[in-house]
Amino acid sequence: MRAKDKQKILKTVDKLVEYNKTLEKYRGSSKYLFDKILCECNKLIDEIDIADCSPEQHEALGEYKKLINSPEYDADLVKKALDVFFQQIQKENETYRILFLPYKYSMWDSFASIFEAAKEDENCEAYVMPIPYYDKDQEGNLTEMHDESESYPDDVGIISWQDNQVDEIDPDVIFIHNPYDGNNRVTSIHPKYYTNKLVCKDRVVIYVPYYVSYTEDKEVMVTMGGAEFYADYVIMQSEWYKKQFEQILSDYKKSDDDLNDLIAFYDNGNKFVVLGNPKYDKIRSLAKSEYPLRDDWEEKLFDESGNKKFTVLLDTTLEMLIKKREKMLDKIGDVIDFFEKRDDLSLIWRPHPLIESTLRNMYSELIPIYIKLVERCKKTENCIFDDTDDMHTAMAWSDAFMGKYGSMIELYRVTTKPTIMLEIGEKTNFESDGIYDEEGLKAKVSKGQVIREKDYGLGNLIDFSMKYQRDEVEYDINQTDGKKIYDFAIKAAKMKMN
């Protein structure tokens, strides 16, 4: 029996218990009040949804209704009959219905281990309904629609947004991972899935960020998209992030009375919950065997003798491109220049998927430079331009990482492979003088710490990374972040029902 149906029945039974006491009080002393309360009892009985009740429960409820309407009203028999029905309902297993609303398949890893935990629970019905999203023009109008439903593997078992409505599915919990609703300048999910249209009194809406961030630097940018105001809960990767979000919310409250009222209306007192992120679960279990290489990738990552070249993954975040613009593009050019001259190495360049559309909308003068870099990368024999939906192939097959902030640098350090924080705007030194503390660097990398170009020089860090031998780590992933988030969601749903 669905948990919300069970709770409704039990609450109705509680009312009937109170009415029974009143009936006993007025029996024989006030026919008018007795009949009035009896009428209310019959209304409540008829309102009980017996669709999922067993034959035994039907029989028990029918017996109660017969006794309560008997001319020979017997309070003890009525009480016993209602108690039988109550006990039968109380013993029913509670089932929950959970709906995932992803919009980009490349971000599915922020849901994946929650979905796995839901599938493993025999008392849960889990549905995945990918929702469409739109590009925006410079005036903010919705233009081309994208629907990535076909990208999901068969074992996810998606349902169509065109054939199903959220209210018809009637979920107890909705998981979202797009925080912007219509507030992003470049894209927007379909307006009917904006967060304020999903929240209601008998369901829980939980926002799980599609990103994680490396937070060891003061420059990291922390913002809210808008969905955080309305969602019942926001899952945080760390206490540091929770404090940042709480401060932002506090600042918003002070800045605008209307916004203060909005935030207060949707605030349950414990909106931000530190439970990690499913993206970490995916990285902890990353294996090359799960990500076979395409032929064109294999040609660039292996030499003629079939030996794999040392491969570096270059990440370009949207945040850094907006902040540094030409300096960021210059850095990318420097890196491609270096790899063009080193046929013993390979490069995988994976830019944020919204970079080109963002540049076209905001900095169109930079588009020719960016396109030229992309074409250079694609034509270089040992370079791969990775615009696939899944970042995990690049992460699994690369041996080291270069980037500046963003999700990938935070995730890559968990692999305990060399993770290099680039400096943007400074002259890049690709030469190695061999003067660096190799053991100290090894200790940092093995602990999942980021190493920095500004401290050692990029040439030295590449030289060290090629020598570094990673100790294979076996992670205890019995209690994944996804399982913790799922357990919390069920608990939150129970609390809201009660």
Side-chain angles (χ1 to χ4, degrees):
M1 179 180 288
R2 289 199 60 188
K4 63 171 57 178
D5 294 334
K6 178 178 174 179
Q7 290 301 318
K8 286 178 183 177
I9 293 174
L10 291 176
K11 287 177 182 178
T12 302
V13 171
D14 286 341
K15 290 181 183 178
L16 288 170
V17 168
E18 293 303 313
Y19 280 151
N20 286 346
K21 293 177 182 177
T22 308
L23 285 174
E24 188 173 7
K25 176 182 176 181
Y26 290 117
R27 181 168 58 95
S29 64
S30 174
K31 187 175 185 311
Y32 166 73
L33 291 174
F34 182 91
D35 289 344
K36 185 176 178 65
I37 300 300
L38 181 60
C39 182
E40 292 301 316
C41 285
N42 280 297
K43 283 182 182 178
L44 285 176
I45 294 169
D46 292 339
E47 288 173 4
I48 293 177
D49 185 358
I50 58 174
D52 291 330
C53 289
S54 68
E56 292 78 17
Q57 291 160 1
H58 278 260
E59 184 179 343
L61 186 62
E63 179 66 14
Y64 168 71
K65 186 171 184 178
K66 183 179 78 172
L67 288 169
I68 204 171
N69 289 289
S70 172
E72 295 81 26
Y73 181 87
D74 188 319
D76 289 336
L77 290 178
V78 167
K79 182 179 182 301
K80 287 177 182 178
L82 186 59
D83 190 54
V84 168
F85 179 67
F86 175 82
Q87 294 298 331
Q88 289 175 342
I89 298 297
Q90 186 81 320
K91 291 177 183 177
E92 280 284 338
N93 280 338
E94 297 180 350
T95 62
Y96 295 85
R97 192 170 291 171
I98 293 185
L99 178 62
F100 295 86
L101 295 179
Y103 80 109
K104 286 185 70 66
Y105 174 67
S106 61
M107 299 169 182
W108 172 246
D109 60 338
S110 64
F111 283 162
S113 60
I114 308 173
F115 177 65
E116 290 302 318
K119 283 203 306 181
E120 289 173 5
D121 184 353
E122 61 183 14
N123 293 319
C124 176
E125 299 174 29
Y127 299 92
V128 178
M129 190 167 77
I131 58 176
Y133 64 97
Y134 295 86
D135 294 331
K136 282 185 173 181
D137 62 22
Q138 291 183 338
E139 284 73 44
N141 301 307
L142 303 184
T143 56
E144 183 181 359
M145 188 185 82
H146 303 274
D147 181 0
E148 299 191 5
S149 299
E150 298 299 321
S151 301
Y152 292 77
D154 292 340
D155 60 354
V156 173
I158 67 166
I159 60 174
S160 168
W161 65 274
Q162 295 169 304
D163 300 332
N164 297 276
Q165 301 297 320
V166 170
D167 288 342
E168 290 176 355
I169 298 169
D170 189 26
D172 302 302
V173 179
I174 296 178
F175 282 104
I176 61 172
H177 66 188
N178 179 292
Y180 298 108
D181 292 338
N183 299 323
N184 192 314
R185 293 177 62 180
V186 181
T187 61
S188 170
I189 59 173
H190 193 297
K192 75 175 182 178
Y193 300 107
Y194 287 171
T195 315
N196 64 331
K197 297 177 182 179
L198 299 177
V199 295
C200 67
K201 63 181 181 180
D202 64 346
R203 73 169 66 122
V204 175
V205 176
I206 300 178
Y207 164 51
V208 182
Y210 63 74
Y211 62 89
V212 292
S213 298
Y214 180 70
T215 61
E216 297 299 315
D217 284 279
K218 294 178 182 178
E219 291 181 45
V220 65
M221 185 167 61
V222 181
T223 59
M224 282 188 179
E228 299 92 343
F229 297 154
Y230 303 101
D232 292 284
Y233 297 100
V234 179
I235 304 301
M236 300 276 90
Q237 73 178 64
S238 66
E239 289 290 343
W240 183 90
Y241 242 106
K242 179 181 178 180
K243 290 177 182 177
Q244 300 302 310
F245 269 59
E246 288 175 338
Q247 184 60 53
I248 293 172
L249 211 59
S250 176
D251 292 343
Y252 274 128
K253 287 179 181 179
K254 296 173 185 176
S255 66
D256 188 303
D257 288 341
D258 290 338
L259 203 52
N260 183 19
D261 292 341
L262 172 72
I263 293 169
F265 182 80
Y266 288 98
D267 188 9
N268 57 20
N270 187 32
K271 184 182 286 283
F272 304 110
V273 187
V274 180
L275 293 171
N277 192 288
K279 296 177 83 72
Y280 292 117
D281 296 331
K282 184 73 173 179
I283 299 305
R284 293 181 186 118
S285 61
L286 205 59
K288 290 179 183 176
S289 58
E290 296 180 18
Y291 300 94
L293 290 175
R294 298 178 347 198
D295 290 344
D296 56 333
W297 279 45
E298 191 165 348
E299 288 174 2
K300 295 196 173 191
L301 298 187
F302 287 80
D303 63 23
E304 294 178 355
S305 302
N307 299 313
K308 182 179 170 297
K309 300 176 183 179
F310 185 85
T311 303
V312 177
L313 170 58
L314 173 65
D315 173 44
T316 312
T317 68
L318 197 56
E319 174 187 345
M320 288 312 299
L321 191 62
I322 291 172
K323 280 184 175 180
K324 301 294 184 179
R325 302 180 202 174
E326 292 91 344
K327 292 178 180 178
M328 186 73 235
L329 295 175
D330 288 343
K331 189 73 171 188
I332 297 167
D334 288 346
V335 172
I336 294 175
D337 286 344
F338 173 73
F339 278 87
E340 277 181 329
K341 301 168 186 173
R342 292 288 300 266
D343 58 8
D344 60 324
L345 305 177
S346 291
L347 175 71
I348 302 173
W349 175 25
R350 185 176 176 85
H352 189 286
L354 295 179
I355 280 182
E356 187 169 340
S357 56
T358 300
L359 288 180
R360 290 191 187 281
N361 274 6
M362 299 172 64
Y363 310 108
S364 57
E365 72 279 5
L366 299 180
I367 277 289
I369 305 171
Y370 178 75
I371 295 298
K372 186 175 180 181
L373 288 170
V374 171
E375 292 306 313
R376 276 187 62 201
C377 180
K378 290 179 177 179
K379 291 177 181 178
T380 303
E381 291 184 359
N382 60 341
C383 293
I384 293 169
F385 181 77
D386 181 13
D387 58 356
T388 62
D389 286 338
D390 195 336
M391 67 179 175
H392 297 104
T393 301
M395 295 186 77
W397 284 92
S398 58
D399 304 295
F401 173 95
M402 297 178 185
K404 185 77 170 177
Y405 307 140
S407 287
M408 284 190 73
I409 197 167
E410 168 67 9
L411 292 171
Y412 204 92
R413 66 175 187 80
V414 176
T415 68
T416 65
K417 294 188 284 190
T419 306
I420 301 169
M421 176 76 78
L422 293 176
E423 282 301 300
I424 311 301
E426 303 296 327
K427 181 175 175 58
T428 306
N429 180 10
F430 286 99
E431 297 297 323
S432 174
D433 57 16
I435 304 173
Y436 55 84
D437 180 3
E438 186 172 342
E439 289 303 312
L441 282 171
K442 182 177 179 180
K444 285 185 176 183
V445 173
S446 63
K447 293 177 183 176
Q449 295 179 8
V450 170
I451 53 181
R452 300 168 181 273
E453 176 187 358
K454 70 176 183 179
D455 295 334
Y456 300 93
L458 192 53
N460 280 336
L461 291 182
I462 293 173
D463 183 58
F464 158 75
S465 298
M466 294 177 70
K467 297 175 183 176
Y468 175 75
Q469 297 294 315
R470 180 167 69 123
D471 296 326
E472 293 296 330
V473 179
E474 291 188 8
Y475 294 100
D476 179 10
I477 55 174
N478 291 328
Q479 177 71 329
T480 64
D481 289 356
K483 180 66 165 62
K484 289 188 288 186
I485 295 168
Y486 172 74
D487 290 344
F488 171 80
I490 297 300
K491 181 179 177 182
K494 289 180 179 179
M495 288 174 56
K496 196 157 191 179
M497 289 174 194
N498 291 329

